[in-house]
Amino acid sequence: MKSVAVIGASLAGLYAARALRAQGFDGRLVIVGDERHRPYDRPPLSKDFLTGTTGQDQLALADAEEIAELDAEWLLGTEATGLDTGGRTVLLDGGRSLTTDGVVIATGAAPRRLPGPPPAGSHTLRTLDDAQALRADLTRGPVRVVVIGGGFIGAEVASSCTALGHHVTVVEAAPLPLVPQLGDTMAGICSALHADHGVTLLTGTGVARLHSGGAGNHVTGVELADGRLLPADVVVTGIGVRPRTAWLAGSGLPLDDGVRCDAGGVTPLPQVVAVGDVARAAGTRAEHWTSATEQAATAVENLLAGSTVATHRNLPYFWSDQYGVRIQFAGRRLPGDTPRIIEGSADDRSFLACYERDGHPTAVLALNRPRPFMRHRRALARAAQPATA
């Protein structure tokens, strides 16, 4: 394999490029990214960057020295529009094309949006440009912010807006946020963080439409499905993401809520692998920072070998910072698993809880208990490893 193209210049794409060089690939390496920025860290966008305590220069995932050592051609501000798997050609915007021996698909995911054109003052938060636009709207003095979606991104944005002194309302269509991730009991405890800090949480209702007006067609309110109208100066929509696979239509690759691949990231075409948010590996698509970084080395090893010689099965792990509380979760929780607080107190918003199934631990959740959490996470990871002779 003399040339490899990494399509996607964010976290998973960068880690794939690093893995290629670390595993001895010394051929032509091309990294294509639709954003104009080099790889940067996304988690701070909804937290420290939004509040102004972290600057853009602190988000970079690679410094100038590492960029030089990668010895890659960077095609930034360039969008992939198609993949000709027969000719091993990546089609690019502007009628350009890129012929390559191997392809790493790392195009990530895009935020779901409300129907219709968004008025001024209405935001999603996925990219650095998104965060810069939202931060600009939040620097105009105290404003009324409505966050649509009570998941982790929505909760982090609500927390940041509250820290900046804004009046915040969170709207969640489900009866309670975070139930799929944490279960009813623990989701209820985490959702109480909103009320602890003066944020209004409205659950069990969706959004009918946004109201706007004036010369700039600026958002003025959020009409709920039950008829209520919430005044709003800024609206942030955080209702999930979709894997970015539209550019792969007609390529012959199997697309089903992501690029279908095996546990090693290998698609039915061994010269094409997928990593990160866009990869549906062995039937599962993970949208977490850790998964994006850990999948890359395995997928690249298989790409260079020309077949699946290694598989990756990580223990799911994610974290969220809200209202000064660090929430950490690791494991594979099923709906019937029972959580039990084994350290600390839910009333203090500082505790460690283990989920159990038939007397065996399956997952662990911590609020502001990082050290004991790491011990339990390591134990779960060891237990999840297949037995060896």
Side-chain angles (χ1 to χ4, degrees):
M1 194 166 282
K2 297 180 180 179
S3 62
V4 174
V6 177
I7 312 303
S10 191
L11 181 72
L14 174 64
Y15 271 74
R18 286 173 172 170
L20 281 162
R21 293 307 190 204
Q23 294 182 29
F25 175 71
D26 59 1
R28 182 191 183 200
L29 174 58
V30 184
I31 303 174
V32 179
D34 64 336
E35 293 186 63
R36 54 191 174 88
H37 311 288
R38 291 198 188 275
Y40 58 87
D41 205 16
R42 294 188 192 275
L45 296 182
S46 58
K47 299 182 279 288
D48 293 343
F49 183 81
L50 203 57
T51 58
T53 57
T54 292
Q56 180 176 341
D57 58 336
Q58 296 169 280
L59 298 177
L61 287 170
D63 58 22
E65 182 179 357
E66 182 183 6
I67 293 296
E69 289 176 351
L70 282 176
D71 189 24
E73 301 172 38
W74 293 82
L75 301 181
L76 299 178
T78 301
E79 187 172 359
T81 59
L83 178 63
D84 177 1
T85 53
R88 299 191 179 188
T89 300
V90 180
L91 308 180
L92 307 176
D93 57 9
R96 296 172 292 172
S97 63
L98 173 64
T99 302
T100 181
D101 296 325
V103 176
V104 179
I105 299 173
T107 42
R112 296 177 183 271
R113 301 177 184 272
L114 297 175
S122 173
H123 302 267
T124 56
L125 183 56
R126 181 72 178 180
T127 68
L128 176 57
D129 292 344
D130 292 339
Q132 289 173 328
L134 176 56
R135 190 164 75 169
D137 269 359
L138 295 174
T139 57
R140 299 171 183 169
V143 295
R144 298 164 298 181
V145 181
V146 175
V147 179
I148 303 171
F152 287 116
I153 290 295
E156 290 171 0
V157 169
S159 171
S160 297
C161 291
T162 300
L164 292 170
H166 302 301
H167 179 272
V168 182
T169 300
V170 177
V171 179
E172 169 59 46
L176 191 66
L178 303 178
V179 169
Q181 295 86 358
L182 306 179
D184 290 331
T185 302
M186 294 297 130
I189 294 171
C190 292
S191 296
L193 292 171
H194 294 298
D196 290 348
H197 295 82
V199 172
T200 301
L201 173 62
L202 303 178
T203 61
T205 182
V207 171
R209 65 189 181 104
L210 302 184
H211 288 240
S212 60
N217 190 38
H218 198 280
V219 66
T220 58
V222 177
E223 182 180 336
L224 303 182
D226 60 16
R228 283 178 290 177
L229 181 62
L230 306 177
D233 305 301
V234 174
V235 173
V236 184
T237 302
I239 53 176
V241 297
R242 289 190 179 94
R244 300 184 62 186
T245 58
W247 68 282
L248 294 168
S251 66
L253 291 174
L255 307 177
D256 176 19
D257 186 37
V259 179
R260 280 175 26 205
C261 51
D262 64 18
V266 180
T267 72
L269 299 174
Q271 74 272 21
V272 179
V273 298
V275 296
D277 291 359
V278 75
R280 187 172 180 82
T284 301
R285 192 171 62 82
E287 298 173 2
H288 304 305
W289 196 96
T290 308
S291 300
T293 61
E294 293 179 345
Q295 289 173 345
T298 301
V300 161
E301 181 181 356
N302 295 328
L303 178 68
L304 296 178
S307 64
T308 302
V309 297
T311 59
H312 176 258
R313 179 176 169 82
N314 70 315
L315 186 74
Y317 166 65
F318 58 84
W319 77 92
S320 177
D321 295 307
Q322 305 171 21
Y323 306 106
V325 175
R326 167 149 286 202
I327 301 171
Q328 295 172 285
F329 180 93
R332 294 182 175 88
R333 186 196 72 85
L334 294 179
D337 295 354
T338 303
R340 180 170 59 91
I341 294 178
I342 61 175
E343 180 180 314
S345 166
D347 293 338
D348 297 334
R349 308 299 190 245
S350 176
F351 65 86
L352 183 80
C354 280
Y355 294 81
E356 296 177 345
R357 185 188 316 147
D358 299 327
H360 299 285
T362 59
V364 60
L365 169 71
L367 271 64
N368 279 348
R369 297 271 171 158
R371 289 188 178 181
F373 172 83
M374 290 305 297
R375 289 198 301 270
H376 283 265
R377 179 189 173 193
R378 286 194 292 266
L380 284 171
R382 287 194 297 270
Q385 294 301 315
T388 56

